[in-house]
Amino acid sequence: MSEKRSNPKQLKNLSQKNALHFSNQDSTRQPKVLMKTFGCQMNKLDTALVQASLKDAGYGVADDESNADVVLINTCSVREHAERKVFSHLGNLKHIKQSRPELIVGVLGCMAQRLGGELLEGGVVDIVCGPGQIPQIPELVKQALVEKRKSLAVISEIRKESAENPELEELESVFDSDDKRIPGQAFVRAMRGCNNFCSYCIVPYVRGPEVSRPQEAVIEQIKRLAGEGVRQVTLLGQAVNLYEYKNGGKTYCLADLLEMANEVDGIEWIRFVTSYPKEEYFDEICNAMAELEKVCGYFHMPAQSGSDRILKAMNRHYTAEQYLDLISRAKEKVGGIAVSGDIIVGFPGETDADFEATVELVKKARYKNAFIFKYSPRPGTKAENGMEDSVPDEVKKKRNIELLAVQEKISNELSAEFLGKEVKVLVEGLSKKPHLNKAENQNNPQLIGRTSTDWIVVFNGPQSLAGEFANVTISKTSPLTLFGQLS
Ligand code: 5AD
Ligand code: SF4
């Protein structure tokens, strides 16, 4: 975990209350925690909060299970596949626990909220902690280690009051980072939860209702991060474009947040994810993108389907035409904007004609990239309760492959437009293909960066560029990646 992290009073009080009585220097007695994260950016952010609070309470970081005293898994419930991965991980931990019964295992996040006490039954898990109870982690870990107590910290009904947990806000407002932070970049939560109740989605059930953070807390956090050298912030929310906070007779929306963040010295790029297709605030946000020089021209705005019938069954409150209209308005207003989307194939009752409508939508939307998922029934959601998972898996697979091919062609055409052009990128660090960075490349390794419109750019250069901006001239393109040389 980062050593530079600022350490405001509230977090100190919160974690010191649960601090273990050993010194940070005494590494032989310092219990070590390993954290694994599944799922979205929200979860990565929660993991960073947990790591920060545990570090303040005096815990060390384990490299892997073999030297960990505590393993905490931050989980995702959005598709069954994500849950299966966690169960298989718990299976491995069960094995390890047979020889090391003192190992403490915790399940945090969405699966903890969904499955609650059931998780304690298998004899592997000691701590179950929902996303809203994350500030309690240092206390729960201490109880498990010192008092050998198992804990269940989830709430049976996530109401707005519990979602507005002030301790969590305080933790969030000091969120900084872990070792894996991309240099120069940080994520800042604008809001928690979701009110949309799309009929397939488990998020509103496990993460609770929408709660926007006070605009001052968000901006103060951005200022603090800028002071620590952060150049790019990404504002997070399940439907971040619907951010709304009433304060002193004014209602702040995302465009206001963007405007205030644009004033913060040191911050150079501002992004936000994810957007829900809706008229409300849309033009204001596009105007902010067009007019504020730091706001990146990039939208992640899932359509989910191109069939109005299916969109209705999904409880998405727009038609394909309205969705495409939002996209074309954004493209008109914001020069060079890139849009990405999510699509679910094989939703209950999806016919060939419905799927064709989705193919048409994808062709018209001309996404930079699209994440395509096969529908996965989630317990407790409207789709799972009232609709039969009628599309056979082979058909889901076939539609997935077909749509990927349609998208790949579009991504290829869009990326080819960059050939010969110079782009500005924020450098993230070494490319994740280590075989390319062996010996001969040590002085000029392969680096990875992103443009303001979220295109991934691969080029060779000194590792010291990580966290800096660089100009790269593009000489080769593929559907998802641009390749080039430092200009
Ligand atoms: N099945 C498949 N995909 C889903 N998503 C959400 N719930 C489900 C589900 N039950 C997808 C949506 C969403 C993304 C994060 O995950 O496309 O935008
Ligand atoms: Fe789930 Fe819909 Fe909320 Fe996104 S907007 S998190 S898909 S309920």
Side-chain angles (χ1 to χ4, degrees), residues 78-79 200-201 302 304 342 344 373-376 378:
V78 87
R79 280 171 294 277
Y200 51 81
C201 185
Q304 312 297 4
D342 295 352
I344 297 176
F373 305 106
K374 292 187 294 172
Y375 170 69
S376 162
R378 302 315 296 133

Side-chain angles (χ1 to χ4, degrees), residues 75-78 83 109-116 129-133 153-160 162-163 192-210 238 313-315 375-387:
T75 59
C76 170
S77 284
V78 87
E83 292 201 345
C110 297
M111 272 176 83
Q113 183 61 45
R114 187 175 92 70
L115 297 167
C129 178
Q133 284 63 51
V154 292
I155 31 179
S156 52
E157 193 192 344
I158 315 180
R159 293 181 310 274
K160 202 159 171 122
S162 52
R192 273 191 169 265
C194 184
N195 288 347
N196 288 306
F197 287 93
C198 301
S199 62
Y200 51 81
C201 185
I202 201 161
V203 167
Y205 302 91
V206 288
R207 287 204 167 254
E210 265 170 24
Q238 306 289 352
M314 285 177 161
N315 196 31
Y375 170 69
S376 162
R378 302 315 296 133
T381 58
K382 286 221 174 64
E384 191 263 349
N385 273 332
M387 304 173 205

Side-chain angles (χ1 to χ4, degrees), residues 129-143:
C129 178
Q133 284 63 51
I134 272 176
Q136 296 175 26
I137 282 287
E139 185 188 331
L140 302 179
V141 170
K142 187 177 164 189
Q143 278 173 11

